[in-house]
Each structure stands twice: as C-alpha cells, then as structure tokens.
C-alpha cells in the first residue's frame, strides 16, 4: 500500500482528455481503462465523465477503510442515485441521505439477517429446480436472460411474499415492462414531459401507474392477511417493523422499498450468475472440483466459487460518494462537490492482495477468510448492500442446482467481454450457452431429486 504523501490541494493526476472520451472508454472497456489508469497514475486518479462531472477513483484499501468507517456524514450517496427517483420514489433507501437514510436502513436490515437465510435458500432452491427442469438438451439461450427471470421470481417470492403463479406473472408483466425503460431515466429533465401515450415519458408514466397499482394492491392484501404475524417474507416483516419513534412504515415507503429491492436486487444477481456460467466451463478443473466437493457434501468450495466470481467479475465497478465538505484522501485535499469512487473492481485486482489477480482461482478463498476492504463487491460503510446475504445465497444455490443437473457450455469461443450496461458491469453478450447432458456418472451428483433434462423435441 502507498506511503501517505504530504497534503496537497490539487486533484490527483488522471487522463487529460475530453470527458466524452473517458466516458466512452469506461462504457466499452471499463476494466481495461480502469486498470490502465491505475497503472499510469497510481491508487488515486481523477477522471472527468459526462453527466457525472469530476470524480476521484480510490483503490487503496486503507483509504477505502477510512471512507467506510467512522463519521460518514460528509459522504452523500443518495444524491447520486437521484436519476432513479422517478421509478424508485423519494422514500427509497437508495435515494435518501442522512438521518432518513439511516432510519430506512434500520427498518430494512433485520429482514435480511441470518435468521432469514434458511427461508431464502428454500425459495431459491425451488425456483432454481423448476427453472432447470424446463431446460432441454440442445437448447440455446442467453444465460443472463434466464437468470433475470429466475432472480425476479426469487425477489417476488422471498421479498414480496407473493407465491400464487398468476400473481407472480401479473407482477412480472408490469414490473419488467417498467424496468425495461431504465435507459429513459438518464433522459435530461427537459425531455421528461408526458405528451400522451406515444411519447416515451408518457408511456413510462402509464407503465409506472400500472406497476404501482399492483404494488399497492399487494401491500393492502398483506396488511389484511390474518396470518401476517406468522409470515417470514420481507414485506410482512416490514409491515410489522417499527422505527425508533415506534412508527410503522407508510404505504408510500413500503412501495418505494419494494421497487428498490427489485431494481437493486434482480439484474445485479442475474449478471453475477451469467459471469459465473461464463467462467466455470472455461475452467474445467474448477468445475470438476466443485462437482466432486458437492457430491461429497462439502459446501466450502461452492462458497469459494461465489466469492472468487464476485472478486474477478464484480457487477458494480465502484461505490460512489459525493463530498459535502472538503476531505483529505491519500494526501490530497479534495474539495466539496467532488465525487469519490471507492474502486471495487481495482482493489479486487491488486496483485499485492491477490497473487495472479487475473486468474480464476476459488482456492484462494478456501480458508473462508475474506478481508473486508480487499473484497467489496457489495460496497461498504453505511451504504453496504442490504441484500448481500440474499445475493450470495442465490448465487450458491443456483450454481449448485445447475452444475449438478446439466452442462452449460458457452457458445462463444472467447470469454464474454466485460462492458458497462447502465451502471453495472456485464458480459457483453449476456453469456450465450447451450444445454448439454452431464457426462455419465455425474447426474446423480450432490443432492436433489429433479430429473436431468431430456433431449429437445
Ligand atoms: C450480486 C448481486 C448484488 C450486488 C453485486 C450488489 C451490489 C451493491 C452495491 C455495490 C451497492 C452500493 C454499496 C455502496 O454504495 O457502498 C448496493 C446497494 C444496495 N443493494 Fe445491492 N447488490 C446485489 C444484490 C442485491 C439484492 C439481492 C438486494 C435486495 C433484495 C440489494 C439491495 C440493495 C440496496 C437496498 C442497496 C442500497 C443500500 C443503501 O444505500 O443503504 N442488492 N448493492
């Protein structure tokens, strides 16, 4: 790690090129650009980006620890997420800052604690087994799309607590139609005008109202459910939760948080799984060991595969904070208004922390030790991902179900390139795969009773 330089007022060095060029590099070659800038300018560098302005990337774990511990009242994150407010609402934990943000976090966090995990795992296993049972040998699909359908259902069942298939499909129809309009959220304020059903913003407003009507209906149904006190899904827990003043969450707050968990939790997890299904078959030794360990009833290697996938292929390249007061980071006195990016993707590629950082080697995590500020795919501090436990459980259960039932072979010769899609890093083609039968002797591996897929008709 770097020795602390003396305090300097200037911004850290960085690429001296138009913001449009740095933005284009980050969109199309995110990992290559970030790694090149770090190699050239060091652990702290300044980049100018369209729409985001001046930002400083930080890839020294000690500096990130300083940002994520202690007083963080000078670091705003909600403000940076405000383009999402038309869909998330103003009362979303992602949008709020300060004491209101903390109030929402305290209400939400207990629903995602250790006690919730066995229930989450049961739901995930059911959804994953049903999904894989539908696959046919020879079938081709884009892994990210199938995983998106799967992670959507997990959120609707485990978080919303909706289990009737017809209601799940109704929610899917209306919510996916809305979330598919996400690129619109980046539209400048002046173009956000409802000019009727044919204008983009008008269409968005209609889809939003249709989706909201269903969300409020689910909230009302749950409030009236005579079994509310016994239910373990997140919505039921939130309906029973009280803040420090003894107040429950309002319907508006509940609606905003349901939408937030869906938006923050389903595409991210689907993308992480698509990355896993690109990496595993390209590392046959890892895949073979994973199957052997699962057949022997050992879970440690599966957990290590999840941890290593999130290290090498993080879905979010960096956290994001806006300084409300000047702050000294790495010897530079950064002014208020600057964005600071704790660079998840760069820290996780440091050769001093991870020898041969480009290699996919789950063994490095087999001792179960993960350093908090060296491995941070879920960010950190008072904004650390609320669904981290659910996401990791989802990855483990889905990977287990898939590798013990079928062979998913990527159809592209080369590993899928990592690009920036919206705010997430994603495989450029979503990992196209073909379903193949397991080599004989493998299909009985590990537990479970779902049949191996039959040949395509
Ligand atoms: C592999 C899947 C996922 C990844 C990689 C991921 C990553 C992240 C990251 C990097 C942040 C920002 C942390 C920061 O600013 O320091 C975040 C925030 C958040 N995530 Fe996730 N996430 C995932 C899945 C989920 C799931 C399944 C849920 C909920 C069901 C969820 C809910 C949230 C929420 C509510 C926040 C905002 C927390 C706050 O602002 O206080 N995420 N996530």
């Amino acid at each position: 790690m770097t020795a602390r330089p003396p305090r300097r007022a200037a911004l850290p060095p960085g690429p001296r090129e138009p913001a449009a060029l740095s933005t284009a590099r980050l969109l199309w070659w995110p990992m290559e650009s970030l790694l090149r800038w770090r190699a050239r300018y060091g652990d702290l560098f300044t980049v100018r980006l369209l729409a985001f302005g001046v930002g400083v990337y930080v890839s020294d774990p000690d500096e990130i620890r300083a940002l994520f511990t202690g007083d963080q009242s000078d670091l705003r994150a909600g403000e940076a997420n405000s383009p999402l407010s038309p869909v998330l609402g103003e009362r979303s934990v992602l949008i709020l800052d300060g004491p209101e943000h903390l109030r929402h976090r305290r209400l939400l966090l207990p629903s995602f604690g250790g006690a919730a995990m066995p229930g989450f795992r049961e739901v995930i296993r059911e959804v994953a087994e049903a999904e894989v049972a539908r696959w046919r040998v020879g079938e081709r699909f884009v892994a990210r799309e199938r995983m998106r359908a799967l992670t959507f259902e997990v959120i609707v069942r485990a978080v919303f607590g909706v289990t009737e298939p017809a209601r799940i499909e109704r929610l899917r129809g209306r919510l996916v139609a809305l979330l598919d309009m996400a690129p619109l959220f980046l539209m400048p304020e002046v173009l956000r005008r409802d000019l009727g059903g044919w204008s983009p913003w008008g269409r968005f407003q209609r889809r939003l109202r249709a989706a909201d009507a269903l969300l409020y209906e689910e909230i009302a149904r749950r409030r009236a459910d005579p079994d509310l006190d016994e239910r373990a899904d997140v919505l039921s827990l939130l309906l029973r939760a009280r803040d420090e003043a003894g107040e429950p969450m309002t319907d508006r707050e509940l609606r905003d948080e349901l939408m937030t968990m869906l938006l923050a939790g389903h595409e991210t997890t689907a993308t992480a799984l698509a990355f896993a299904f690109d990496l595993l078959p390209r590392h046959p030794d890892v895949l073979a060991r994973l199957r052997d360990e699962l057949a022997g009833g050992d879970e440690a290697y599966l957990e290590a595969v999840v941890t290593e996938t999130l290290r090498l292929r993080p879905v979010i390249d960096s956290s994001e904070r806006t300084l409300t007061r000047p702050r000294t980071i790495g010897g530079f006195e950064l002014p208020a208004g600057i964005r600071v990016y704790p660079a998840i993707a760069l820290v996780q590629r440091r050769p001093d922390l991870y020898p041969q950082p480009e290699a996919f080697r789950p063994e490095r995590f087999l001792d179960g030790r993960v350093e908090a500020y060296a491995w941070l795919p879920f960010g950190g501090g008072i904004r650390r991902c609320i669904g981290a436990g659910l996401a990791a459980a989802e990855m483990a259960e889905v990977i287990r179900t898939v590798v013990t039932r079928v062979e998913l072979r990527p159809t592209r010769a080369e590993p899928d390139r990592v690009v920036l899609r919206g705010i997430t890093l994603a495989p450029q083609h979503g990992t196209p795969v073909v379903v193949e039968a397991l080599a004989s002797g493998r299909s009985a591996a590990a537990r479970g009773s779902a049949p191996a897929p039959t040949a395509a008709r």
Side-chain angles (χ1 to χ4, degrees):
M1 265 130 266
T2 47
R4 197 167 283 252
R7 261 166 80 133
R8 282 169 284 173
L11 290 174
R16 298 163 69 85
E17 60 187 18
L21 193 56
S22 294
T23 311
R25 287 190 207 284
L26 214 49
L27 282 173
W28 285 102
W29 298 277
M31 287 310 301
E32 295 86 341
S33 307
L34 289 171
L35 287 165
R36 196 174 324 113
W37 288 331
R38 206 241 332 255
R40 181 139 184 212
Y41 303 108
D43 283 340
L44 256 79
F45 55 84
T46 305
V47 180
R48 286 163 181 80
L49 296 172
L50 291 182
F52 294 93
V54 179
V56 173
Y57 282 83
V58 181
S59 62
D60 179 328
D62 291 339
E63 296 299 343
I64 293 180
R65 183 195 308 270
L67 280 163
F68 282 167
T69 49
D71 180 20
Q72 295 162 59
S73 61
D74 58 336
L75 306 173
R76 304 250 146 201
E79 215 169 87
N81 296 326
S82 63
L84 296 174
S85 65
V87 72
L88 295 184
E90 303 292 338
R91 311 293 299 153
S92 149
V93 70
L94 263 173
I95 304 287
L96 293 166
D97 273 309
E100 269 301 289
H101 164 255
L102 284 181
R103 171 177 172 265
H104 276 240
R105 255 185 99 81
R106 289 196 191 109
L107 285 163
L108 289 172
L109 271 172
S111 321
F112 289 92
M117 286 305 145
F120 286 160
R121 286 202 181 242
E122 207 178 302
V123 171
I124 300 162
R125 274 201 288 270
E126 264 180 50
V127 177
E129 300 226 337
E131 172 63 33
V132 177
R134 284 193 287 271
W135 298 352
R136 297 289 170 260
V137 168
E139 189 181 348
R140 289 163 184 261
F141 53 77
V142 173
R144 186 164 177 263
E145 284 169 12
R146 286 296 167 95
M147 292 300 128
R148 194 180 168 209
L150 187 157
T151 56
F152 179 91
E153 189 162 340
V154 169
I155 299 255
V156 168
R157 291 177 58 165
V159 176
F160 294 18
V162 176
T163 49
E164 301 93 320
R167 299 192 82 82
I168 295 177
E169 289 318 310
R170 239 165 37 114
L171 281 164
R172 193 194 300 277
R174 293 204 198 166
L175 289 167
V176 169
L178 179 70
L179 297 183
D180 279 346
M181 297 190 87
L184 219 71
F185 308 150
L186 302 174
M187 213 155 90
E189 198 77 40
V190 290
L191 297 179
R192 297 179 178 190
R193 296 276 176 275
D194 185 350
L195 303 172
W198 292 103
S199 65
W201 201 251
R203 228 170 38 246
F204 165 71
Q205 289 297 329
R206 277 155 196 75
R207 290 188 187 182
L208 182 63
R209 281 198 288 274
D212 278 357
L214 274 195
L215 291 180
Y216 283 119
E217 189 182 312
E218 291 302 339
I219 294 168
R221 271 167 59 92
R222 194 63 45 77
R223 261 195 208 290
D225 188 333
D227 296 331
L228 177 64
D229 286 345
E230 281 82 58
R231 296 185 59 117
D233 56 84
V234 174
L235 173 57
S236 299
L237 294 174
L238 291 180
L239 275 163
R240 304 205 298 265
R242 296 291 178 269
D243 66 14
E244 280 164 353
E247 294 298 323
M249 292 175 84
T250 64
D251 279 5
R252 174 84 226 185
E253 288 175 329
L254 289 164
R255 175 264 169 223
D256 288 0
E257 296 305 12
L258 290 182
M259 192 66 99
T260 299
M261 289 183 275
L262 181 67
L263 189 107
H266 93 288
E267 288 211 38
T268 42
T269 316
T271 302
L273 281 163
F275 276 136
F277 293 125
D278 195 42
L279 286 167
L280 281 169
R282 298 185 197 277
H283 297 83
D285 48 334
V286 172
L287 188 52
R289 178 160 180 192
L290 175 60
R291 287 184 169 133
D292 286 345
E293 304 270 358
L294 287 174
D298 194 335
E299 306 271 305
Y301 199 71
L302 174 63
E303 302 300 328
V305 164
V306 171
T307 310
E308 176 69 343
T309 301
L310 288 168
R311 179 195 71 81
L312 188 60
R313 295 276 185 273
V315 177
I316 307 281
D317 70 330
S318 56
S319 298
E320 183 173 347
R321 305 287 185 266
T322 306
L323 295 187
T324 60
R325 296 192 289 274
R327 194 189 247 251
T328 305
I329 304 179
F332 291 92
E333 196 172 324
L334 305 182
I338 285 275
R339 292 201 186 198
V340 175
Y341 301 110
I344 297 167
L346 287 178
V347 175
Q348 297 184 169
R349 290 282 186 102
R350 288 181 69 108
D352 55 343
L353 298 170
Y354 300 103
Q356 292 182 288
E358 312 301 320
F360 180 59
R361 284 187 28 219
E363 289 74 12
R364 49 174 119 233
F365 291 111
L366 261 185
D367 62 4
R369 274 195 25 234
V370 175
E371 297 284 338
Y373 301 99
W375 185 86
L376 24 89
F378 297 110
I382 56 166
R383 309 296 302 216
R384 185 173 188 270
C385 176
I386 284 173
L390 170 61
E394 220 171 324
M395 289 181 69
E397 293 304 333
V398 175
I399 291 173
R400 180 216 307 278
T401 308
V402 171
V403 303
T404 54
R405 303 276 186 278
V406 292
E407 207 71 75
L408 273 192
R409 193 169 51 77
T411 53
R412 300 180 65 85
E414 296 298 317
D416 220 345
R417 233 167 56 74
V418 177
V419 293
L420 208 52
R421 286 246 184 284
I423 53 160
T424 59
L425 297 170
Q428 184 179 11
H429 302 282
T431 313
V433 291
V434 56
V435 180
E436 293 180 349
L438 283 184
S440 61
R442 284 275 184 214
S443 56
R447 65 157 186 269
S449 55
T454 49
R457 275 160 289 216

